[in-house]
Amino acid sequence: GAGVSQSPSNKVTEKGKDVELRCDPISGHTALYWYRQSLGQGLEFLIYFQGNSAPDKSGLPSDRFSAERTGGSVSTLTIQRTQQEDSAVYLCASSTRIRSEAFFGQGTRLTVV
Amino acid sequence: GEDVEQSLFLSVREGDSSVINCTYTDSSSTYLYWYKQEPGAGLQLLTYIFSNMDMKQDQRLTVLLNKKDKHLSLRIADTQTGDSAIYFCAESRGEDYKLSFGAGTTVTVRA
């Protein structure tokens, strides 16, 4: 597609349920990032992929969070046993290795009730 | 992240100039970026500067880079109400040009 696509755009889930967030990067972009932005806060780095491997997972807040990327393209971020503090906008970005200008998706707004 | 720091808030009067500052820690940074996030929207790239440059101007935007002090600034001339947004500084570094973002500066333009 023309830009980074994230789905769903909004997700309301009950506390304790698992959720999957999807990111479809720009075709050919090797780098993919997940960030979290809580209300009124800055960007919190979660994980970074280069191709299918994740050289930096340091930002994942707990072992309830995991992410994978297959075929060097689509990535899913999974949050197990969601908690209210997981409520935030989850942003995905992709970039080429060469100049690394990152293009962001519109984000998934997750609300845990 | 902790490697890139910005002040959190800036209030400016319409028509004045805004200056947003950023400091970074890694001298091997190759590119430095400014992103803008309007309310309810994703981040959009405003401008970037290569690390061997001191200044870049693009219409109302001026980016200044002091590599010795690892200091980056964004000046917006004739600030308008549409400039109200969160501005993020970012750097790319290392062999794989991994991006690191600051926490963002919320700019409020008052009439």
Side-chain angles (χ1 to χ4, degrees):
Chain A
V4 177
S5 177
Q6 291 187 246
S7 61
S9 53
N10 277 286
K11 176 73 176 178
V12 180
T13 189
E14 290 181 354
K15 180 180 169 183
K17 301 278 191 187
D18 298 352
V19 294
E20 270 193 4
L21 311 180
R22 177 187 167 109
C23 173
D24 206 334
I26 293 173
S27 178
H29 281 195
T30 56
L32 187 148
Y33 303 81
W34 282 100
Y35 294 90
R36 179 167 72 173
Q37 188 175 29
S38 302
L39 185 64
Q41 301 297 312
L43 290 179
E44 178 187 2
F45 168 77
L46 296 178
I47 188 169
Y48 159 65
F49 287 92
Q50 186 62 252
N52 288 338
S53 64
D56 190 347
K57 303 180 185 179
S58 62
L60 294 177
S62 76
D63 58 9
R64 297 187 294 105
F65 287 72
S66 63
E68 64 174 15
R69 188 178 186 196
T70 54
S73 181
V74 172
S75 176
T76 54
L77 176 70
T78 302
I79 309 172
Q80 296 178 308
R81 304 181 303 281
T82 51
Q83 303 294 311
Q84 287 186 328
E85 62 262 28
D86 300 334
S87 296
V89 176
Y90 289 81
L91 290 165
C92 175
S94 72
S95 70
T96 64
R97 184 184 174 119
I98 296 172
R99 204 181 80 182
S100 76
E101 171 189 339
F103 293 84
F104 279 80
Q106 290 297 101
T108 294
R109 181 175 297 277
L110 176 67
T111 305
V112 182
V113 298
Chain B
E2 295 173 357
D3 297 329
V4 180
E5 293 190 352
Q6 306 176 234
S7 53
L8 292 182
F9 301 100
L10 176 67
S11 178
V12 62
R13 194 182 320 183
E14 189 175 10
D16 287 351
S17 292
S18 310
V19 179
I20 309 166
N21 294 301
C22 169
T23 57
Y24 59 99
T25 58
D26 194 329
S27 59
S28 69
S29 295
T30 49
Y31 289 95
L32 295 125
Y33 303 83
W34 284 104
Y35 283 81
K36 178 182 180 183
Q37 184 183 35
E38 296 185 12
L43 277 72
Q44 287 189 308
L45 181 69
L46 267 184
T47 186
Y48 69 94
I49 190 167
F50 190 49
S51 59
N52 68 355
M53 298 169 64
D54 298 324
M55 186 182 86
K56 181 177 181 181
Q57 186 147 7
D58 183 2
Q59 300 183 337
R60 292 190 299 120
L61 305 178
T62 303
V63 179
L64 294 177
L65 175 61
N66 181 330
K67 201 170 179 182
K68 173 176 170 289
D69 295 337
K70 301 189 188 66
H71 182 266
L72 181 75
S73 67
L74 174 70
R75 179 177 179 270
I76 306 172
D78 187 24
T79 311
Q80 303 298 306
T81 54
D83 296 324
S84 292
I86 305 175
Y87 291 80
F88 292 90
C89 169
E91 61 168 351
S92 67
R93 53 192 164 116
E95 291 182 352
D96 55 359
Y97 299 93
K98 179 174 169 280
L99 282 172
S100 294
F101 280 84
T105 300
T106 300
V107 173
T108 303
V109 181
R110 60 188 193 278

